[in-house]
Amino acid sequence: MRLRSLLLFVILAPFAAFSQSREPDIRFRLAQSYEQSGDFESASKLYEQVLAKDSTNYLVLEALHRDYIQLKKYDAAIDLVTHLLQRSPNDILWISRLGGLYNLKADDKKANAAWDRAIAVDPSHESTYRAVASSMMESRLFDRAIDIYQRGRVACKNPALFTTDVAYLYSITLNYSAATKEYLSLIRQNPVQLAFTQSRISAYIVRPDGLKAATFAVEDAVKAESGNQPFQQLLAWLYMEAKRYDRAYEIYRGLDATTNAGGHEIFNFAERAFRERGYDVAGIAYRDIITRFPKFDQIAHVKFGSARTLEESSVERDTSNRRVSVSGSRTILSPEPESSPMYAGAIAAYQAVVAEYPKTDFAARSLYRIAVLKQERFFDLDGARLALETLEKNTPSPTVLLDAKLRRGEIYLAMGNLQKAEEILTGMTNQQAIVGDQLERAALRLAELAYYQGKFPEAQSRLEKLTQNAASDITNDALRLQAFILENIAEGDSSLSLYSKGELLIVQQKLSEALTLYESLPKLFPTSTLDDEALMTVGALETAMRRYPDAIRSYSRIEGEYPESVLLDAATMNIGSLYETGLYDKPKAINTYEKILEHYPNSIFVNEARKRIRALRGDTL
Amino acid sequence: MNPSCFSHDKPSFARSRLLIAEIILFVAAVTGVHSQKILIPMDLKQADHLKAYGIAYWTLTKNVEVDWLLNYRGGSFMIDGVDLVSAECRIRGVSYELLNGAEASQIYAEVQSEGTNMDAVRLEKAPKIAVYVPPNFLPWDDAVTLAMEYAEIPYEKIWDDDVMKDKLRDYDWVHLHHEDFTGQYGKFYANFSTQPWYIEQQVMYEKKARELGFRKVSDMKKAVALKIKEYIASGGFLFSMCSATDTYDIALASLNTDICESMYDGDPADPKAQKKLDYSQCLAFENFTLEANPLRYEYSDIDLPPSDMVDMLNPETDYFTLFEFSAKYDPVPTMLTQDHANIIKGFIGQTTNFKKSLIKKNVTILAEKEGTEEVRYIHGNLGRGTFTFYGGHDPEDYRHAVGDPPTDLRLHKNSPGYRLILNNILFPAAKKKQQKT
């Protein structure tokens, strides 16, 4: 019996011991399970039981600390950590956490004391400051964390420590100036970090205050360290982002010299400035390359760019660039004799490109621009034609060939050589399917040509084909002319023929002749549906000739002579515009626009009239 | 501030109607039947309903009174001062009709008749308006400011420090931008916590809280919510939309607990927060259950359908219906529901509809989705003031997401949904009830 008991004890004893050693493990797993399900109360009780048996179990300490915080049992958590620190008084991580716990308890004094204690353990090591700052960041005390990092720099005698951390903290606390200074420090330590820095700074320069603060900070740095190229690059980049091209150019010019870039820094700047419509400074940059780097590898591109900037700058300054609408899609180009000197520089620059780099794409594009300027700004049709013919003959660049042909056709039309115009335009449209802007435009011009010549069935037939493509811009123009012909064509009535002849005179800039013709139309065809339209065109021609009082009289006649006209609202709108922008008579302009609201409440001009009244009376909208 | 507007006591309205009738008779006697008036119709003949409210407001700023003809042609406005007002109507594109004295009297007689559910309310003074918005606010973030900008109704912006400095008392009417009064930053954490705007917003709010002496943003928001409550109780008019409705009440209910998880305020939520809610503090809701998951884009079960289930809604069939009230005996809800349509297309917000069973019994339901638990528009009184909650974000943008472009109200001049907002703005202009001494 005794032997049997002894045998049983020998067999079972290991199992009992195993069971006892397994129990804490099972409790720990159960506690973890409770914790994962969000039952922190049950979890913490089990963890406490496990900890009571093994007070050194780090995993349990961590878990209990976590659960006490979840349960807002900050005192219990503090006791736990204090107990732990009795065993390991120099554990910086746990001392920092103690600071965090006191902060949660809103006991700032003890929190600060704990964090100070953590630093005192090892004040000369960077990881100390990182642990304390991390605890503060968990408590969302970002300003305090910055202070700790700064303190660490001094204590560790290394001002370069924690740069990205501090910069990031400054940026999220909206202190963009300080953030930028930190990033500058990063570049100073390692210039290769310029791109990284730009990516970080770009996050806050989308805000105007961020851009301003960053720019000031970098400007100061550049002044202090004038030889620091990455700083200069950063400043130039900030100026470009702020569209301060003049300032950016100064820096890129300097950088180009110091890096021996041979004009490439300036070229890259000029290209971006041109794309962003900084024409004046782009032009200066292009010309700088031409003067100082005559053997620049893309010099033709540079010279063409310079010419383009001259043209675009002239367009920006050309306040006389006004088109006057005639009813429908037509516009009358006001004669612009005073604009001549303005564009002369651009034309000369284009001509230089043609002379220096013949048979190149830049020469072709230059010739095309010359033609455009001569036709549209000077009405020098021969000059424009010659440029285009040279282009087609010598430099058949595919990029501008179709544009050149179309424009040459239009020029012949304006010159009155209808046969030649038709020949060129027909040549374009016969070559292939009429697809693409230039070919569709050529087809529209052919329809207009037929219309000007009074060949209305032919014009209609051509227009019909152009109205099929709903996605094309040309379709609207085609539909408008098609409807106009349909509305006004009448058997035995040649008023439409006379009217269309007048339009050809307008295309040819024979404004006085057109005026006489349109004035005569109502007398010759007193019952024509075009009489009010003719009077509208008289008003438009007088406007284009800057005879504003006459134009107002002509528009006003429509109301008296054609009270049923559908053009009454348009005529009134034009009168308002003349008072507003021609005669600068604000009260009369407002009265006229109000007349539209009162008399023509369903007019399409109502919204525009309202807008203008409110602008004229200075409403804040 | 208007110390008080209307209450629901019927005798006072009977007195008001008598008074208006007397005024009409007096005006008719003095000016004769030939004097002209302008009627701004608010039915389908109106070209621009939203700007019409702006005209009414503008007229009040010129010290010309406006009669709001409740339920007459969609809630039309009758105004004196023909030349001035008609010119401005034309300029702003608002339809109007010129009436002679006899025609105007006939309309007043019809409106005042016992046999019709109509009444005339005199609007006397342009209310001074404030919108509670954060400093980085853009007008198109919020339907109310969009409506006011379009209707050209002036407003001022206020923020937490203004509220804490008791500046609310300077205003007659306050709108709460779709703010999260729970201090959980719109519960955008799961989707936007790494976005610069979210990080900046949180830091900015924390700075403001510290400036005002609070350790946590949620504590500051609770204090702000209490100040707003005091403002209403002392006679203010509050209008809230979207999440500024339910989060406002949740903040009031949680004054004695912490419902924010650590990513929002640096410490965990109180595990017993739900049990500690005090619904008696709320304006409109009770017995609601908080959404405890900090990563879920929802605050509580007040919102129907929950924000993360709105994809199940079909915009084609999502409509809500305005209730009809007695114009003569319930002028306040009648004013708030003036519209040219009584079935209005729905629109989603972070808070879209309110669960009917969680609305307090003393709150008036103005619009709901018929046959469902979903209530869209509610109104109630607190002390001498009133509050109105309107679910959804933008009446003309079915699903307005963060970063979406602004709604162009020029394309929605006749929006019935936007009209409900503008009713609220004019409502404080209504003639004050005589104070009891």
Side-chain angles (χ1 to χ4, degrees), chain A residues 578-606:
Chain A
L578 284 166
Y579 279 129
E580 183 186 348
T581 59
L583 301 174
Y584 306 107
D585 189 335
K586 202 191 279 190
K588 280 190 177 167
I590 291 175
N591 282 342
T592 312
Y593 292 136
E594 280 183 347
K595 200 173 154 187
I596 289 176
L597 304 182
E598 201 173 346
H599 295 202
Y600 315 108
N602 299 319
S603 163
I604 56 165
F605 299 107
V606 159

PDB file of all heavy atoms in Angstrom, chain A residues 578-606:
ATOM      1  N   LEU A 578     -21.087 101.079 -74.926  1.00  0.00           N
ATOM      2  CA  LEU A 578     -20.436 102.287 -75.460  1.00  0.00           C
ATOM      3  C   LEU A 578     -20.364 103.369 -74.386  1.00  0.00           C
ATOM      4  O   LEU A 578     -19.346 104.041 -74.245  1.00  0.00           O
ATOM      5  CB  LEU A 578     -21.193 102.789 -76.689  1.00  0.00           C
ATOM      6  CG  LEU A 578     -20.936 101.970 -77.968  1.00  0.00           C
ATOM      7  CD1 LEU A 578     -21.959 102.304 -79.037  1.00  0.00           C
ATOM      8  CD2 LEU A 578     -19.523 102.224 -78.489  1.00  0.00           C
ATOM      9  N   TYR A 579     -21.466 103.527 -73.633  1.00  0.00           N
ATOM     10  CA  TYR A 579     -21.427 104.515 -72.537  1.00  0.00           C
ATOM     11  C   TYR A 579     -20.377 104.109 -71.495  1.00  0.00           C
ATOM     12  O   TYR A 579     -19.660 104.943 -70.957  1.00  0.00           O
ATOM     13  CB  TYR A 579     -22.796 104.630 -71.864  1.00  0.00           C
ATOM     14  CG  TYR A 579     -23.772 105.517 -72.618  1.00  0.00           C
ATOM     15  CD1 TYR A 579     -25.047 105.076 -72.943  1.00  0.00           C
ATOM     16  CD2 TYR A 579     -23.413 106.818 -72.980  1.00  0.00           C
ATOM     17  CE1 TYR A 579     -25.942 105.884 -73.630  1.00  0.00           C
ATOM     18  CE2 TYR A 579     -24.310 107.638 -73.664  1.00  0.00           C
ATOM     19  CZ  TYR A 579     -25.569 107.165 -73.997  1.00  0.00           C
ATOM     20  OH  TYR A 579     -26.445 107.969 -74.679  1.00  0.00           O
ATOM     21  N   GLU A 580     -20.314 102.806 -71.247  1.00  0.00           N
ATOM     22  CA  GLU A 580     -19.424 102.332 -70.180  1.00  0.00           C
ATOM     23  C   GLU A 580     -17.945 102.408 -70.590  1.00  0.00           C
ATOM     24  O   GLU A 580     -17.133 102.981 -69.860  1.00  0.00           O
ATOM     25  CB  GLU A 580     -19.787 100.883 -69.819  1.00  0.00           C
ATOM     26  CG  GLU A 580     -18.954 100.331 -68.676  1.00  0.00           C
ATOM     27  CD  GLU A 580     -19.209  98.852 -68.417  1.00  0.00           C
ATOM     28  OE1 GLU A 580     -20.183  98.277 -68.961  1.00  0.00           O
ATOM     29  OE2 GLU A 580     -18.408  98.257 -67.659  1.00  0.00           O
ATOM     30  N   THR A 581     -17.624 101.849 -71.753  1.00  0.00           N
ATOM     31  CA  THR A 581     -16.200 101.709 -72.086  1.00  0.00           C
ATOM     32  C   THR A 581     -15.720 102.675 -73.163  1.00  0.00           C
ATOM     33  O   THR A 581     -14.513 102.847 -73.324  1.00  0.00           O
ATOM     34  CB  THR A 581     -15.900 100.271 -72.549  1.00  0.00           C
ATOM     35  OG1 THR A 581     -16.717  99.986 -73.683  1.00  0.00           O
ATOM     36  CG2 THR A 581     -16.167  99.257 -71.477  1.00  0.00           C
ATOM     37  N   GLY A 582     -16.662 103.283 -73.890  1.00  0.00           N
ATOM     38  CA  GLY A 582     -16.245 104.214 -74.929  1.00  0.00           C
ATOM     39  C   GLY A 582     -16.293 105.654 -74.449  1.00  0.00           C
ATOM     40  O   GLY A 582     -15.320 106.396 -74.585  1.00  0.00           O
ATOM     41  N   LEU A 583     -17.433 106.020 -73.834  1.00  0.00           N
ATOM     42  CA  LEU A 583     -17.613 107.411 -73.402  1.00  0.00           C
ATOM     43  C   LEU A 583     -17.424 107.580 -71.898  1.00  0.00           C
ATOM     44  O   LEU A 583     -17.459 108.706 -71.393  1.00  0.00           O
ATOM     45  CB  LEU A 583     -19.024 107.893 -73.798  1.00  0.00           C
ATOM     46  CG  LEU A 583     -19.314 107.838 -75.308  1.00  0.00           C
ATOM     47  CD1 LEU A 583     -20.773 108.199 -75.593  1.00  0.00           C
ATOM     48  CD2 LEU A 583     -18.397 108.777 -76.085  1.00  0.00           C
ATOM     49  N   TYR A 584     -17.228 106.478 -71.188  1.00  0.00           N
ATOM     50  CA  TYR A 584     -16.991 106.494 -69.726  1.00  0.00           C
ATOM     51  C   TYR A 584     -18.076 107.287 -68.977  1.00  0.00           C
ATOM     52  O   TYR A 584     -17.788 108.055 -68.069  1.00  0.00           O
ATOM     53  CB  TYR A 584     -15.599 107.058 -69.415  1.00  0.00           C
ATOM     54  CG  TYR A 584     -14.505 106.335 -70.151  1.00  0.00           C
ATOM     55  CD1 TYR A 584     -13.846 106.925 -71.218  1.00  0.00           C
ATOM     56  CD2 TYR A 584     -14.161 105.024 -69.804  1.00  0.00           C
ATOM     57  CE1 TYR A 584     -12.863 106.236 -71.917  1.00  0.00           C
ATOM     58  CE2 TYR A 584     -13.178 104.335 -70.504  1.00  0.00           C
ATOM     59  CZ  TYR A 584     -12.534 104.951 -71.556  1.00  0.00           C
ATOM     60  OH  TYR A 584     -11.571 104.260 -72.248  1.00  0.00           O
ATOM     61  N   ASP A 585     -19.306 107.122 -69.420  1.00  0.00           N
ATOM     62  CA  ASP A 585     -20.427 107.803 -68.762  1.00  0.00           C
ATOM     63  C   ASP A 585     -21.168 106.762 -67.907  1.00  0.00           C
ATOM     64  O   ASP A 585     -22.083 106.079 -68.371  1.00  0.00           O
ATOM     65  CB  ASP A 585     -21.352 108.408 -69.833  1.00  0.00           C
ATOM     66  CG  ASP A 585     -22.421 109.308 -69.221  1.00  0.00           C
ATOM     67  OD1 ASP A 585     -22.751 109.110 -68.031  1.00  0.00           O
ATOM     68  OD2 ASP A 585     -22.911 110.210 -69.937  1.00  0.00           O
ATOM     69  N   LYS A 586     -20.748 106.668 -66.652  1.00  0.00           N
ATOM     70  CA  LYS A 586     -21.251 105.606 -65.785  1.00  0.00           C
ATOM     71  C   LYS A 586     -22.763 105.686 -65.556  1.00  0.00           C
ATOM     72  O   LYS A 586     -23.466 104.676 -65.719  1.00  0.00           O
ATOM     73  CB  LYS A 586     -20.496 105.668 -64.446  1.00  0.00           C
ATOM     74  CG  LYS A 586     -20.531 104.360 -63.688  1.00  0.00           C
ATOM     75  CD  LYS A 586     -20.014 104.508 -62.279  1.00  0.00           C
ATOM     76  CE  LYS A 586     -18.505 104.482 -62.195  1.00  0.00           C
ATOM     77  NZ  LYS A 586     -18.073 104.390 -60.769  1.00  0.00           N
ATOM     78  N   PRO A 587     -23.318 106.875 -65.198  1.00  0.00           N
ATOM     79  CA  PRO A 587     -24.777 106.917 -64.959  1.00  0.00           C
ATOM     80  C   PRO A 587     -25.582 106.487 -66.190  1.00  0.00           C
ATOM     81  O   PRO A 587     -26.554 105.747 -66.072  1.00  0.00           O
ATOM     82  CB  PRO A 587     -25.037 108.380 -64.614  1.00  0.00           C
ATOM     83  CG  PRO A 587     -23.724 108.921 -64.157  1.00  0.00           C
ATOM     84  CD  PRO A 587     -22.681 108.180 -64.921  1.00  0.00           C
ATOM     85  N   LYS A 588     -25.144 106.968 -67.376  1.00  0.00           N
ATOM     86  CA  LYS A 588     -25.904 106.589 -68.583  1.00  0.00           C
ATOM     87  C   LYS A 588     -25.755 105.091 -68.868  1.00  0.00           C
ATOM     88  O   LYS A 588     -26.692 104.453 -69.361  1.00  0.00           O
ATOM     89  CB  LYS A 588     -25.431 107.409 -69.791  1.00  0.00           C
ATOM     90  CG  LYS A 588     -26.038 108.810 -69.799  1.00  0.00           C
ATOM     91  CD  LYS A 588     -25.774 109.513 -71.099  1.00  0.00           C
ATOM     92  CE  LYS A 588     -26.462 110.875 -71.085  1.00  0.00           C
ATOM     93  NZ  LYS A 588     -26.015 111.743 -72.176  1.00  0.00           N
ATOM     94  N   ALA A 589     -24.583 104.573 -68.600  1.00  0.00           N
ATOM     95  CA  ALA A 589     -24.389 103.124 -68.803  1.00  0.00           C
ATOM     96  C   ALA A 589     -25.326 102.348 -67.884  1.00  0.00           C
ATOM     97  O   ALA A 589     -26.020 101.430 -68.331  1.00  0.00           O
ATOM     98  CB  ALA A 589     -22.930 102.762 -68.519  1.00  0.00           C
ATOM     99  N   ILE A 590     -25.390 102.737 -66.597  1.00  0.00           N
ATOM    100  CA  ILE A 590     -26.270 102.026 -65.650  1.00  0.00           C
ATOM    101  C   ILE A 590     -27.722 102.141 -66.098  1.00  0.00           C
ATOM    102  O   ILE A 590     -28.469 101.152 -66.122  1.00  0.00           O
ATOM    103  CB  ILE A 590     -26.091 102.585 -64.214  1.00  0.00           C
ATOM    104  CG1 ILE A 590     -24.701 102.209 -63.684  1.00  0.00           C
ATOM    105  CG2 ILE A 590     -27.181 102.063 -63.275  1.00  0.00           C
ATOM    106  CD1 ILE A 590     -24.368 102.791 -62.329  1.00  0.00           C
ATOM    107  N   ASN A 591     -28.129 103.368 -66.492  1.00  0.00           N
ATOM    108  CA  ASN A 591     -29.521 103.544 -66.950  1.00  0.00           C
ATOM    109  C   ASN A 591     -29.830 102.649 -68.139  1.00  0.00           C
ATOM    110  O   ASN A 591     -30.908 102.073 -68.231  1.00  0.00           O
ATOM    111  CB  ASN A 591     -29.754 105.004 -67.358  1.00  0.00           C
ATOM    112  CG  ASN A 591     -29.944 105.879 -66.135  1.00  0.00           C
ATOM    113  OD1 ASN A 591     -30.229 105.366 -65.062  1.00  0.00           O
ATOM    114  ND2 ASN A 591     -29.759 107.183 -66.297  1.00  0.00           N
ATOM    115  N   THR A 592     -28.873 102.550 -69.055  1.00  0.00           N
ATOM    116  CA  THR A 592     -29.112 101.733 -70.255  1.00  0.00           C
ATOM    117  C   THR A 592     -29.215 100.258 -69.890  1.00  0.00           C
ATOM    118  O   THR A 592     -30.096  99.548 -70.378  1.00  0.00           O
ATOM    119  CB  THR A 592     -27.984 101.944 -71.286  1.00  0.00           C
ATOM    120  OG1 THR A 592     -27.764 103.339 -71.441  1.00  0.00           O
ATOM    121  CG2 THR A 592     -28.335 101.326 -72.616  1.00  0.00           C
ATOM    122  N   TYR A 593     -28.320  99.797 -69.005  1.00  0.00           N
ATOM    123  CA  TYR A 593     -28.396  98.382 -68.597  1.00  0.00           C
ATOM    124  C   TYR A 593     -29.698  98.113 -67.837  1.00  0.00           C
ATOM    125  O   TYR A 593     -30.301  97.043 -67.974  1.00  0.00           O
ATOM    126  CB  TYR A 593     -27.196  98.016 -67.724  1.00  0.00           C
ATOM    127  CG  TYR A 593     -25.865  98.010 -68.472  1.00  0.00           C
ATOM    128  CD1 TYR A 593     -24.722  98.583 -67.906  1.00  0.00           C
ATOM    129  CD2 TYR A 593     -25.739  97.426 -69.731  1.00  0.00           C
ATOM    130  CE1 TYR A 593     -23.505  98.577 -68.575  1.00  0.00           C
ATOM    131  CE2 TYR A 593     -24.527  97.423 -70.407  1.00  0.00           C
ATOM    132  CZ  TYR A 593     -23.415  98.001 -69.827  1.00  0.00           C
ATOM    133  OH  TYR A 593     -22.215  97.991 -70.491  1.00  0.00           O
ATOM    134  N   GLU A 594     -30.124  99.086 -67.031  1.00  0.00           N
ATOM    135  CA  GLU A 594     -31.385  98.901 -66.300  1.00  0.00           C
ATOM    136  C   GLU A 594     -32.557  98.777 -67.268  1.00  0.00           C
ATOM    137  O   GLU A 594     -33.534  98.072 -67.006  1.00  0.00           O
ATOM    138  CB  GLU A 594     -31.618 100.057 -65.321  1.00  0.00           C
ATOM    139  CG  GLU A 594     -30.816  99.893 -64.039  1.00  0.00           C
ATOM    140  CD  GLU A 594     -31.067 100.985 -63.021  1.00  0.00           C
ATOM    141  OE1 GLU A 594     -31.672 102.007 -63.382  1.00  0.00           O
ATOM    142  OE2 GLU A 594     -30.622 100.828 -61.867  1.00  0.00           O
ATOM    143  N   LYS A 595     -32.424  99.487 -68.397  1.00  0.00           N
ATOM    144  CA  LYS A 595     -33.475  99.413 -69.428  1.00  0.00           C
ATOM    145  C   LYS A 595     -33.618  97.973 -69.930  1.00  0.00           C
ATOM    146  O   LYS A 595     -34.723  97.493 -70.186  1.00  0.00           O
ATOM    147  CB  LYS A 595     -33.094 100.346 -70.578  1.00  0.00           C
ATOM    148  CG  LYS A 595     -34.235 100.744 -71.469  1.00  0.00           C
ATOM    149  CD  LYS A 595     -33.755 101.794 -72.459  1.00  0.00           C
ATOM    150  CE  LYS A 595     -34.623 101.746 -73.698  1.00  0.00           C
ATOM    151  NZ  LYS A 595     -34.102 102.612 -74.755  1.00  0.00           N
ATOM    152  N   ILE A 596     -32.501  97.276 -70.050  1.00  0.00           N
ATOM    153  CA  ILE A 596     -32.563  95.870 -70.482  1.00  0.00           C
ATOM    154  C   ILE A 596     -33.343  95.048 -69.458  1.00  0.00           C
ATOM    155  O   ILE A 596     -34.223  94.265 -69.822  1.00  0.00           O
ATOM    156  CB  ILE A 596     -31.135  95.303 -70.664  1.00  0.00           C
ATOM    157  CG1 ILE A 596     -30.499  95.940 -71.895  1.00  0.00           C
ATOM    158  CG2 ILE A 596     -31.162  93.779 -70.816  1.00  0.00           C
ATOM    159  CD1 ILE A 596     -29.093  95.549 -72.144  1.00  0.00           C
ATOM    160  N   LEU A 597     -33.057  95.275 -68.176  1.00  0.00           N
ATOM    161  CA  LEU A 597     -33.743  94.498 -67.136  1.00  0.00           C
ATOM    162  C   LEU A 597     -35.239  94.798 -67.134  1.00  0.00           C
ATOM    163  O   LEU A 597     -36.070  93.917 -66.917  1.00  0.00           O
ATOM    164  CB  LEU A 597     -33.159  94.819 -65.753  1.00  0.00           C
ATOM    165  CG  LEU A 597     -31.656  94.612 -65.578  1.00  0.00           C
ATOM    166  CD1 LEU A 597     -31.246  94.932 -64.150  1.00  0.00           C
ATOM    167  CD2 LEU A 597     -31.263  93.181 -65.908  1.00  0.00           C
ATOM    168  N   GLU A 598     -35.563  96.067 -67.382  1.00  0.00           N
ATOM    169  CA  GLU A 598     -36.951  96.487 -67.302  1.00  0.00           C
ATOM    170  C   GLU A 598     -37.743  96.090 -68.553  1.00  0.00           C
ATOM    171  O   GLU A 598     -38.845  95.571 -68.459  1.00  0.00           O
ATOM    172  CB  GLU A 598     -36.975  98.003 -67.118  1.00  0.00           C
ATOM    173  CG  GLU A 598     -38.267  98.499 -66.524  1.00  0.00           C
ATOM    174  CD  GLU A 598     -38.203  99.985 -66.191  1.00  0.00           C
ATOM    175  OE1 GLU A 598     -37.090 100.553 -66.178  1.00  0.00           O
ATOM    176  OE2 GLU A 598     -39.275 100.566 -65.973  1.00  0.00           O
ATOM    177  N   HIS A 599     -37.139  96.336 -69.729  1.00  0.00           N
ATOM    178  CA  HIS A 599     -37.891  96.139 -70.980  1.00  0.00           C
ATOM    179  C   HIS A 599     -37.699  94.762 -71.593  1.00  0.00           C
ATOM    180  O   HIS A 599     -38.545  94.306 -72.345  1.00  0.00           O
ATOM    181  CB  HIS A 599     -37.480  97.195 -72.009  1.00  0.00           C
ATOM    182  CG  HIS A 599     -37.857  98.587 -71.604  1.00  0.00           C
ATOM    183  ND1 HIS A 599     -38.002  99.607 -72.500  1.00  0.00           N
ATOM    184  CD2 HIS A 599     -38.145  99.118 -70.396  1.00  0.00           C
ATOM    185  CE1 HIS A 599     -38.345 100.721 -71.850  1.00  0.00           C
ATOM    186  NE2 HIS A 599     -38.425 100.435 -70.571  1.00  0.00           N
ATOM    187  N   TYR A 600     -36.570  94.143 -71.328  1.00  0.00           N
ATOM    188  CA  TYR A 600     -36.306  92.842 -71.954  1.00  0.00           C
ATOM    189  C   TYR A 600     -35.923  91.814 -70.886  1.00  0.00           C
ATOM    190  O   TYR A 600     -34.804  91.280 -70.883  1.00  0.00           O
ATOM    191  CB  TYR A 600     -35.177  92.964 -72.995  1.00  0.00           C
ATOM    192  CG  TYR A 600     -35.320  94.171 -73.893  1.00  0.00           C
ATOM    193  CD1 TYR A 600     -34.469  95.266 -73.776  1.00  0.00           C
ATOM    194  CD2 TYR A 600     -36.336  94.228 -74.850  1.00  0.00           C
ATOM    195  CE1 TYR A 600     -34.623  96.388 -74.572  1.00  0.00           C
ATOM    196  CE2 TYR A 600     -36.503  95.342 -75.647  1.00  0.00           C
ATOM    197  CZ  TYR A 600     -35.644  96.422 -75.505  1.00  0.00           C
ATOM    198  OH  TYR A 600     -35.799  97.525 -76.290  1.00  0.00           O
ATOM    199  N   PRO A 601     -36.832  91.536 -69.944  1.00  0.00           N
ATOM    200  CA  PRO A 601     -36.471  90.658 -68.819  1.00  0.00           C
ATOM    201  C   PRO A 601     -36.110  89.229 -69.228  1.00  0.00           C
ATOM    202  O   PRO A 601     -35.491  88.519 -68.445  1.00  0.00           O
ATOM    203  CB  PRO A 601     -37.718  90.681 -67.933  1.00  0.00           C
ATOM    204  CG  PRO A 601     -38.824  91.132 -68.816  1.00  0.00           C
ATOM    205  CD  PRO A 601     -38.232  92.006 -69.864  1.00  0.00           C
ATOM    206  N   ASN A 602     -36.490  88.837 -70.437  1.00  0.00           N
ATOM    207  CA  ASN A 602     -36.156  87.468 -70.856  1.00  0.00           C
ATOM    208  C   ASN A 602     -34.953  87.418 -71.797  1.00  0.00           C
ATOM    209  O   ASN A 602     -34.661  86.381 -72.386  1.00  0.00           O
ATOM    210  CB  ASN A 602     -37.369  86.829 -71.559  1.00  0.00           C
ATOM    211  CG  ASN A 602     -38.547  86.746 -70.615  1.00  0.00           C
ATOM    212  OD1 ASN A 602     -38.381  86.409 -69.439  1.00  0.00           O
ATOM    213  ND2 ASN A 602     -39.728  87.084 -71.100  1.00  0.00           N
ATOM    214  N   SER A 603     -34.286  88.545 -71.933  1.00  0.00           N
ATOM    215  CA  SER A 603     -33.154  88.607 -72.861  1.00  0.00           C
ATOM    216  C   SER A 603     -31.974  87.780 -72.350  1.00  0.00           C
ATOM    217  O   SER A 603     -31.767  87.640 -71.140  1.00  0.00           O
ATOM    218  CB  SER A 603     -32.729  90.066 -73.013  1.00  0.00           C
ATOM    219  OG  SER A 603     -31.441  90.147 -73.560  1.00  0.00           O
ATOM    220  N   ILE A 604     -31.154  87.307 -73.282  1.00  0.00           N
ATOM    221  CA  ILE A 604     -29.952  86.574 -72.871  1.00  0.00           C
ATOM    222  C   ILE A 604     -28.914  87.531 -72.275  1.00  0.00           C
ATOM    223  O   ILE A 604     -27.936  87.102 -71.692  1.00  0.00           O
ATOM    224  CB  ILE A 604     -29.308  85.802 -74.046  1.00  0.00           C
ATOM    225  CG1 ILE A 604     -28.980  86.757 -75.210  1.00  0.00           C
ATOM    226  CG2 ILE A 604     -30.173  84.662 -74.504  1.00  0.00           C
ATOM    227  CD1 ILE A 604     -28.041  86.165 -76.237  1.00  0.00           C
ATOM    228  N   PHE A 605     -29.144  88.842 -72.448  1.00  0.00           N
ATOM    229  CA  PHE A 605     -28.185  89.816 -71.923  1.00  0.00           C
ATOM    230  C   PHE A 605     -28.490  90.237 -70.477  1.00  0.00           C
ATOM    231  O   PHE A 605     -27.755  91.032 -69.900  1.00  0.00           O
ATOM    232  CB  PHE A 605     -28.167  91.069 -72.815  1.00  0.00           C
ATOM    233  CG  PHE A 605     -27.748  90.778 -74.224  1.00  0.00           C
ATOM    234  CD1 PHE A 605     -28.666  90.786 -75.256  1.00  0.00           C
ATOM    235  CD2 PHE A 605     -26.433  90.473 -74.521  1.00  0.00           C
ATOM    236  CE1 PHE A 605     -28.286  90.500 -76.561  1.00  0.00           C
ATOM    237  CE2 PHE A 605     -26.036  90.187 -75.820  1.00  0.00           C
ATOM    238  CZ  PHE A 605     -26.968  90.201 -76.844  1.00  0.00           C
ATOM    239  N   VAL A 606     -29.575  89.709 -69.940  1.00  0.00           N
ATOM    240  CA  VAL A 606     -30.012  90.151 -68.609  1.00  0.00           C
ATOM    241  C   VAL A 606     -28.928  89.922 -67.549  1.00  0.00           C
ATOM    242  O   VAL A 606     -28.609  90.816 -66.762  1.00  0.00           O
ATOM    243  CB  VAL A 606     -31.339  89.449 -68.237  1.00  0.00           C
ATOM    244  CG1 VAL A 606     -31.562  89.458 -66.744  1.00  0.00           C
ATOM    245  CG2 VAL A 606     -32.505  90.139 -68.924  1.00  0.00           C
TER     246      VAL A 606
END
